[in-house]
Amino acid sequence: MSDDPTVETPPTEDPRRDGGRTVKSLVLLNTGDGKGKSTAAFGVMIRGLAQGWKVAVLQFVKSGDWQVGEEKIGRRLGVDWQSLGEGFTWDSDDLTHDQAVARAAWDTAKAVIEAGEHRLVILDELTYLLTWGWIETEPVLEAIAGRPDHVNIVITGRDAPQALIDIADTVTEMRHVKHAYDSGIVAKKGIDY
Ligand code: ATP
Ligand code: MG
């Protein structure tokens, strides 16, 4: 026995509930300002692939010109991978253009969800399109709520609107405690991309 007051006794009861129900699919949301939202989504991607699921990854905001490692390996594992944010200008003078790109991106995502060909659809960085007012929240909620039974969805991005939090089954907020970037360290290959 430790006399360290911070040491806790391990649980002696099984924390799992009896009589839980099963569902055909779930909606996961990874939000918050800390690192790990997309990488956690790609962890789920690996789990889905391990079950033989067809998986789609739709990225709404492309990470610059980086050769993103997860895309390379995802494609190799048969993931249908689409970068839908490539048309953004990131120029506030051209809002109409960016909004049109965002709407087209969402239309693609909606079609993928509705088609039901994938057991897992990852909507990476979707929340930004909502936050920036480029697409409406309501149609997104409708598409998620009305998805085919077997389609699991993972959404990532900071500042998820409350309505999205409400509709998701599992919501995790990654909290920024500390990031290498804060001390001037640039993004690291293999860790950040
Ligand atoms: P990751 O893709 O590493 O899981 P994320 O999806 O949680 O990160 P994003 O907001 O999508 O975070 O940011 C993508 C990039 O920005 C990553 O390279 C990540 O390391 C970096 N990043 C994430 N959180 C922070 C932060 N709080 N401060 C600075 N950089 C961050
Ligand atoms: Mg991310």
Side-chain angles (χ1 to χ4, degrees), residues 61-85:
V61 181
K62 211 173 175 223
S63 358
D65 297 325
W66 288 339
Q67 169 83 61
V68 184
E70 55 266 26
E71 176 172 350
K72 213 196 283 181
I73 202 80
R75 286 184 186 279
R76 215 182 287 165
L77 294 171
V79 173
D80 289 320
W81 199 294
Q82 294 193 58
S83 298
L84 302 170

PDB file of all heavy atoms in Angstrom, residues 61-85:
ATOM      1  N   VAL A  61     -11.170  20.879 -45.368  1.00  0.00           N
ATOM      2  CA  VAL A  61     -10.174  21.939 -45.417  1.00  0.00           C
ATOM      3  C   VAL A  61      -8.849  21.245 -45.666  1.00  0.00           C
ATOM      4  O   VAL A  61      -8.421  20.413 -44.873  1.00  0.00           O
ATOM      5  CB  VAL A  61     -10.104  22.707 -44.074  1.00  0.00           C
ATOM      6  CG1 VAL A  61      -9.088  23.830 -44.152  1.00  0.00           C
ATOM      7  CG2 VAL A  61     -11.477  23.263 -43.704  1.00  0.00           C
ATOM      8  N   LYS A  62      -8.238  21.536 -46.783  1.00  0.00           N
ATOM      9  CA  LYS A  62      -7.009  20.801 -47.091  1.00  0.00           C
ATOM     10  C   LYS A  62      -5.818  21.390 -46.360  1.00  0.00           C
ATOM     11  O   LYS A  62      -5.683  22.591 -46.236  1.00  0.00           O
ATOM     12  CB  LYS A  62      -6.748  20.779 -48.587  1.00  0.00           C
ATOM     13  CG  LYS A  62      -6.041  19.502 -48.926  1.00  0.00           C
ATOM     14  CD  LYS A  62      -5.859  19.242 -50.383  1.00  0.00           C
ATOM     15  CE  LYS A  62      -5.028  17.994 -50.499  1.00  0.00           C
ATOM     16  NZ  LYS A  62      -4.001  18.103 -51.494  1.00  0.00           N
ATOM     17  N   SER A  63      -4.953  20.533 -45.852  1.00  0.00           N
ATOM     18  CA  SER A  63      -3.795  21.007 -45.101  1.00  0.00           C
ATOM     19  C   SER A  63      -2.683  21.483 -46.034  1.00  0.00           C
ATOM     20  O   SER A  63      -1.699  20.794 -46.246  1.00  0.00           O
ATOM     21  CB  SER A  63      -3.264  19.906 -44.197  1.00  0.00           C
ATOM     22  OG  SER A  63      -4.041  18.768 -44.298  1.00  0.00           O
ATOM     23  N   GLY A  64      -2.902  22.619 -46.619  1.00  0.00           N
ATOM     24  CA  GLY A  64      -1.884  23.254 -47.457  1.00  0.00           C
ATOM     25  C   GLY A  64      -1.348  22.339 -48.543  1.00  0.00           C
ATOM     26  O   GLY A  64      -2.078  21.551 -49.126  1.00  0.00           O
ATOM     27  N   ASP A  65      -0.054  22.421 -48.779  1.00  0.00           N
ATOM     28  CA  ASP A  65       0.559  21.597 -49.820  1.00  0.00           C
ATOM     29  C   ASP A  65       1.238  20.366 -49.238  1.00  0.00           C
ATOM     30  O   ASP A  65       1.938  19.651 -49.910  1.00  0.00           O
ATOM     31  CB  ASP A  65       1.620  22.418 -50.589  1.00  0.00           C
ATOM     32  CG  ASP A  65       0.985  23.595 -51.297  1.00  0.00           C
ATOM     33  OD1 ASP A  65      -0.160  23.439 -51.762  1.00  0.00           O
ATOM     34  OD2 ASP A  65       1.621  24.662 -51.375  1.00  0.00           O
ATOM     35  N   TRP A  66       1.025  20.163 -47.920  1.00  0.00           N
ATOM     36  CA  TRP A  66       1.665  19.014 -47.289  1.00  0.00           C
ATOM     37  C   TRP A  66       1.195  17.726 -47.920  1.00  0.00           C
ATOM     38  O   TRP A  66       0.037  17.539 -48.249  1.00  0.00           O
ATOM     39  CB  TRP A  66       1.330  18.956 -45.800  1.00  0.00           C
ATOM     40  CG  TRP A  66       2.001  20.002 -45.003  1.00  0.00           C
ATOM     41  CD1 TRP A  66       3.118  20.703 -45.338  1.00  0.00           C
ATOM     42  CD2 TRP A  66       1.595  20.464 -43.713  1.00  0.00           C
ATOM     43  NE1 TRP A  66       3.435  21.561 -44.332  1.00  0.00           N
ATOM     44  CE2 TRP A  66       2.527  21.444 -43.326  1.00  0.00           C
ATOM     45  CE3 TRP A  66       0.549  20.131 -42.843  1.00  0.00           C
ATOM     46  CZ2 TRP A  66       2.449  22.103 -42.111  1.00  0.00           C
ATOM     47  CZ3 TRP A  66       0.464  20.788 -41.652  1.00  0.00           C
ATOM     48  CH2 TRP A  66       1.401  21.761 -41.285  1.00  0.00           C
ATOM     49  N   GLN A  67       2.114  16.835 -48.009  1.00  0.00           N
ATOM     50  CA  GLN A  67       1.792  15.470 -48.396  1.00  0.00           C
ATOM     51  C   GLN A  67       1.327  14.797 -47.109  1.00  0.00           C
ATOM     52  O   GLN A  67       2.130  14.452 -46.246  1.00  0.00           O
ATOM     53  CB  GLN A  67       3.063  14.798 -48.935  1.00  0.00           C
ATOM     54  CG  GLN A  67       2.955  13.310 -49.125  1.00  0.00           C
ATOM     55  CD  GLN A  67       2.307  12.929 -50.418  1.00  0.00           C
ATOM     56  OE1 GLN A  67       2.805  13.265 -51.473  1.00  0.00           O
ATOM     57  NE2 GLN A  67       1.182  12.253 -50.352  1.00  0.00           N
ATOM     58  N   VAL A  68       0.016  14.712 -46.953  1.00  0.00           N
ATOM     59  CA  VAL A  68      -0.521  14.199 -45.692  1.00  0.00           C
ATOM     60  C   VAL A  68      -0.391  12.678 -45.643  1.00  0.00           C
ATOM     61  O   VAL A  68      -0.930  11.968 -46.473  1.00  0.00           O
ATOM     62  CB  VAL A  68      -1.996  14.634 -45.512  1.00  0.00           C
ATOM     63  CG1 VAL A  68      -2.527  14.192 -44.163  1.00  0.00           C
ATOM     64  CG2 VAL A  68      -2.106  16.147 -45.641  1.00  0.00           C
ATOM     65  N   GLY A  69       0.336  12.204 -44.631  1.00  0.00           N
ATOM     66  CA  GLY A  69       0.647  10.780 -44.512  1.00  0.00           C
ATOM     67  C   GLY A  69      -0.577   9.898 -44.425  1.00  0.00           C
ATOM     68  O   GLY A  69      -0.630   8.832 -45.035  1.00  0.00           O
ATOM     69  N   GLU A  70      -1.584  10.364 -43.678  1.00  0.00           N
ATOM     70  CA  GLU A  70      -2.759   9.510 -43.477  1.00  0.00           C
ATOM     71  C   GLU A  70      -3.532   9.285 -44.770  1.00  0.00           C
ATOM     72  O   GLU A  70      -4.167   8.258 -44.964  1.00  0.00           O
ATOM     73  CB  GLU A  70      -3.667  10.065 -42.382  1.00  0.00           C
ATOM     74  CG  GLU A  70      -4.132  11.490 -42.578  1.00  0.00           C
ATOM     75  CD  GLU A  70      -3.239  12.514 -41.880  1.00  0.00           C
ATOM     76  OE1 GLU A  70      -2.042  12.220 -41.670  1.00  0.00           O
ATOM     77  OE2 GLU A  70      -3.740  13.604 -41.549  1.00  0.00           O
ATOM     78  N   GLU A  71      -3.450  10.235 -45.683  1.00  0.00           N
ATOM     79  CA  GLU A  71      -4.138  10.062 -46.970  1.00  0.00           C
ATOM     80  C   GLU A  71      -3.458   8.951 -47.777  1.00  0.00           C
ATOM     81  O   GLU A  71      -4.122   8.079 -48.348  1.00  0.00           O
ATOM     82  CB  GLU A  71      -4.126  11.372 -47.765  1.00  0.00           C
ATOM     83  CG  GLU A  71      -4.741  11.202 -49.142  1.00  0.00           C
ATOM     84  CD  GLU A  71      -4.926  12.502 -49.904  1.00  0.00           C
ATOM     85  OE1 GLU A  71      -4.763  13.581 -49.315  1.00  0.00           O
ATOM     86  OE2 GLU A  71      -5.249  12.411 -51.097  1.00  0.00           O
ATOM     87  N   LYS A  72      -2.143   8.995 -47.783  1.00  0.00           N
ATOM     88  CA  LYS A  72      -1.385   7.998 -48.531  1.00  0.00           C
ATOM     89  C   LYS A  72      -1.705   6.594 -48.038  1.00  0.00           C
ATOM     90  O   LYS A  72      -2.045   5.700 -48.817  1.00  0.00           O
ATOM     91  CB  LYS A  72       0.116   8.299 -48.345  1.00  0.00           C
ATOM     92  CG  LYS A  72       0.948   7.956 -49.568  1.00  0.00           C
ATOM     93  CD  LYS A  72       2.424   7.882 -49.263  1.00  0.00           C
ATOM     94  CE  LYS A  72       3.132   9.188 -49.113  1.00  0.00           C
ATOM     95  NZ  LYS A  72       4.564   9.054 -48.832  1.00  0.00           N
ATOM     96  N   ILE A  73      -1.646   6.414 -46.735  1.00  0.00           N
ATOM     97  CA  ILE A  73      -1.862   5.068 -46.175  1.00  0.00           C
ATOM     98  C   ILE A  73      -3.339   4.677 -46.301  1.00  0.00           C
ATOM     99  O   ILE A  73      -3.661   3.529 -46.577  1.00  0.00           O
ATOM    100  CB  ILE A  73      -1.345   4.979 -44.714  1.00  0.00           C
ATOM    101  CG1 ILE A  73      -1.051   3.540 -44.324  1.00  0.00           C
ATOM    102  CG2 ILE A  73      -2.282   5.602 -43.719  1.00  0.00           C
ATOM    103  CD1 ILE A  73       0.269   3.046 -44.815  1.00  0.00           C
ATOM    104  N   GLY A  74      -4.231   5.663 -46.128  1.00  0.00           N
ATOM    105  CA  GLY A  74      -5.666   5.403 -46.262  1.00  0.00           C
ATOM    106  C   GLY A  74      -6.008   4.878 -47.648  1.00  0.00           C
ATOM    107  O   GLY A  74      -6.700   3.874 -47.798  1.00  0.00           O
ATOM    108  N   ARG A  75      -5.497   5.553 -48.652  1.00  0.00           N
ATOM    109  CA  ARG A  75      -5.748   5.118 -50.027  1.00  0.00           C
ATOM    110  C   ARG A  75      -5.204   3.725 -50.275  1.00  0.00           C
ATOM    111  O   ARG A  75      -5.841   2.893 -50.924  1.00  0.00           O
ATOM    112  CB  ARG A  75      -5.107   6.094 -51.021  1.00  0.00           C
ATOM    113  CG  ARG A  75      -5.869   7.402 -51.139  1.00  0.00           C
ATOM    114  CD  ARG A  75      -5.228   8.273 -52.213  1.00  0.00           C
ATOM    115  NE  ARG A  75      -5.824   9.594 -52.263  1.00  0.00           N
ATOM    116  CZ  ARG A  75      -6.962   9.881 -52.890  1.00  0.00           C
ATOM    117  NH1 ARG A  75      -7.627   8.913 -53.513  1.00  0.00           N
ATOM    118  NH2 ARG A  75      -7.439  11.109 -52.883  1.00  0.00           N
ATOM    119  N   ARG A  76      -4.045   3.480 -49.723  1.00  0.00           N
ATOM    120  CA  ARG A  76      -3.430   2.162 -49.889  1.00  0.00           C
ATOM    121  C   ARG A  76      -4.309   1.076 -49.269  1.00  0.00           C
ATOM    122  O   ARG A  76      -4.352  -0.051 -49.736  1.00  0.00           O
ATOM    123  CB  ARG A  76      -2.049   2.160 -49.228  1.00  0.00           C
ATOM    124  CG  ARG A  76      -1.037   1.320 -49.969  1.00  0.00           C
ATOM    125  CD  ARG A  76       0.305   1.308 -49.259  1.00  0.00           C
ATOM    126  NE  ARG A  76       1.046   2.549 -49.353  1.00  0.00           N
ATOM    127  CZ  ARG A  76       2.091   2.864 -48.576  1.00  0.00           C
ATOM    128  NH1 ARG A  76       2.491   2.047 -47.628  1.00  0.00           N
ATOM    129  NH2 ARG A  76       2.738   4.005 -48.739  1.00  0.00           N
ATOM    130  N   LEU A  77      -5.022   1.434 -48.206  1.00  0.00           N
ATOM    131  CA  LEU A  77      -5.891   0.463 -47.524  1.00  0.00           C
ATOM    132  C   LEU A  77      -7.300   0.441 -48.125  1.00  0.00           C
ATOM    133  O   LEU A  77      -8.200  -0.174 -47.578  1.00  0.00           O
ATOM    134  CB  LEU A  77      -5.957   0.794 -46.035  1.00  0.00           C
ATOM    135  CG  LEU A  77      -4.648   0.630 -45.250  1.00  0.00           C
ATOM    136  CD1 LEU A  77      -4.782   1.195 -43.841  1.00  0.00           C
ATOM    137  CD2 LEU A  77      -4.222  -0.842 -45.197  1.00  0.00           C
ATOM    138  N   GLY A  78      -7.497   1.153 -49.226  1.00  0.00           N
ATOM    139  CA  GLY A  78      -8.771   1.089 -49.929  1.00  0.00           C
ATOM    140  C   GLY A  78      -9.798   2.115 -49.498  1.00  0.00           C
ATOM    141  O   GLY A  78     -10.984   2.020 -49.845  1.00  0.00           O
ATOM    142  N   VAL A  79      -9.392   3.103 -48.724  1.00  0.00           N
ATOM    143  CA  VAL A  79     -10.321   4.149 -48.287  1.00  0.00           C
ATOM    144  C   VAL A  79     -10.628   5.078 -49.470  1.00  0.00           C
ATOM    145  O   VAL A  79      -9.734   5.440 -50.223  1.00  0.00           O
ATOM    146  CB  VAL A  79      -9.695   4.971 -47.136  1.00  0.00           C
ATOM    147  CG1 VAL A  79     -10.559   6.166 -46.776  1.00  0.00           C
ATOM    148  CG2 VAL A  79      -9.463   4.088 -45.916  1.00  0.00           C
ATOM    149  N   ASP A  80     -11.902   5.427 -49.617  1.00  0.00           N
ATOM    150  CA  ASP A  80     -12.275   6.418 -50.632  1.00  0.00           C
ATOM    151  C   ASP A  80     -12.015   7.786 -50.026  1.00  0.00           C
ATOM    152  O   ASP A  80     -12.716   8.214 -49.112  1.00  0.00           O
ATOM    153  CB  ASP A  80     -13.753   6.270 -51.012  1.00  0.00           C
ATOM    154  CG  ASP A  80     -13.973   4.995 -51.817  1.00  0.00           C
ATOM    155  OD1 ASP A  80     -13.124   4.683 -52.672  1.00  0.00           O
ATOM    156  OD2 ASP A  80     -14.975   4.313 -51.558  1.00  0.00           O
ATOM    157  N   TRP A  81     -11.002   8.453 -50.525  1.00  0.00           N
ATOM    158  CA  TRP A  81     -10.493   9.675 -49.887  1.00  0.00           C
ATOM    159  C   TRP A  81     -10.704  10.862 -50.809  1.00  0.00           C
ATOM    160  O   TRP A  81     -10.259  10.841 -51.955  1.00  0.00           O
ATOM    161  CB  TRP A  81      -9.004   9.503 -49.604  1.00  0.00           C
ATOM    162  CG  TRP A  81      -8.484  10.454 -48.574  1.00  0.00           C
ATOM    163  CD1 TRP A  81      -8.391  11.804 -48.687  1.00  0.00           C
ATOM    164  CD2 TRP A  81      -8.002  10.119 -47.269  1.00  0.00           C
ATOM    165  NE1 TRP A  81      -7.880  12.341 -47.530  1.00  0.00           N
ATOM    166  CE2 TRP A  81      -7.630  11.323 -46.643  1.00  0.00           C
ATOM    167  CE3 TRP A  81      -7.855   8.909 -46.575  1.00  0.00           C
ATOM    168  CZ2 TRP A  81      -7.106  11.364 -45.347  1.00  0.00           C
ATOM    169  CZ3 TRP A  81      -7.337   8.954 -45.292  1.00  0.00           C
ATOM    170  CH2 TRP A  81      -6.970  10.172 -44.686  1.00  0.00           C
ATOM    171  N   GLN A  82     -11.396  11.861 -50.312  1.00  0.00           N
ATOM    172  CA  GLN A  82     -11.612  13.049 -51.149  1.00  0.00           C
ATOM    173  C   GLN A  82     -11.241  14.314 -50.384  1.00  0.00           C
ATOM    174  O   GLN A  82     -11.687  14.511 -49.250  1.00  0.00           O
ATOM    175  CB  GLN A  82     -13.087  13.160 -51.542  1.00  0.00           C
ATOM    176  CG  GLN A  82     -13.585  12.048 -52.453  1.00  0.00           C
ATOM    177  CD  GLN A  82     -14.941  12.398 -53.046  1.00  0.00           C
ATOM    178  OE1 GLN A  82     -15.091  13.411 -53.719  1.00  0.00           O
ATOM    179  NE2 GLN A  82     -15.928  11.574 -52.765  1.00  0.00           N
ATOM    180  N   SER A  83     -10.449  15.152 -51.011  1.00  0.00           N
ATOM    181  CA  SER A  83     -10.143  16.465 -50.452  1.00  0.00           C
ATOM    182  C   SER A  83     -11.060  17.464 -51.135  1.00  0.00           C
ATOM    183  O   SER A  83     -10.906  17.734 -52.316  1.00  0.00           O
ATOM    184  CB  SER A  83      -8.692  16.831 -50.710  1.00  0.00           C
ATOM    185  OG  SER A  83      -7.863  15.898 -50.074  1.00  0.00           O
ATOM    186  N   LEU A  84     -12.010  17.974 -50.360  1.00  0.00           N
ATOM    187  CA  LEU A  84     -13.050  18.803 -50.976  1.00  0.00           C
ATOM    188  C   LEU A  84     -12.788  20.298 -50.811  1.00  0.00           C
ATOM    189  O   LEU A  84     -13.510  21.127 -51.323  1.00  0.00           O
ATOM    190  CB  LEU A  84     -14.402  18.451 -50.347  1.00  0.00           C
ATOM    191  CG  LEU A  84     -14.811  16.975 -50.478  1.00  0.00           C
ATOM    192  CD1 LEU A  84     -16.026  16.676 -49.625  1.00  0.00           C
ATOM    193  CD2 LEU A  84     -15.095  16.634 -51.930  1.00  0.00           C
ATOM    194  N   GLY A  85     -11.745  20.640 -50.090  1.00  0.00           N
ATOM    195  CA  GLY A  85     -11.491  22.052 -49.821  1.00  0.00           C
ATOM    196  C   GLY A  85     -10.477  22.681 -50.747  1.00  0.00           C
ATOM    197  O   GLY A  85     -10.065  23.825 -50.547  1.00  0.00           O
TER     198      GLY A  85
END
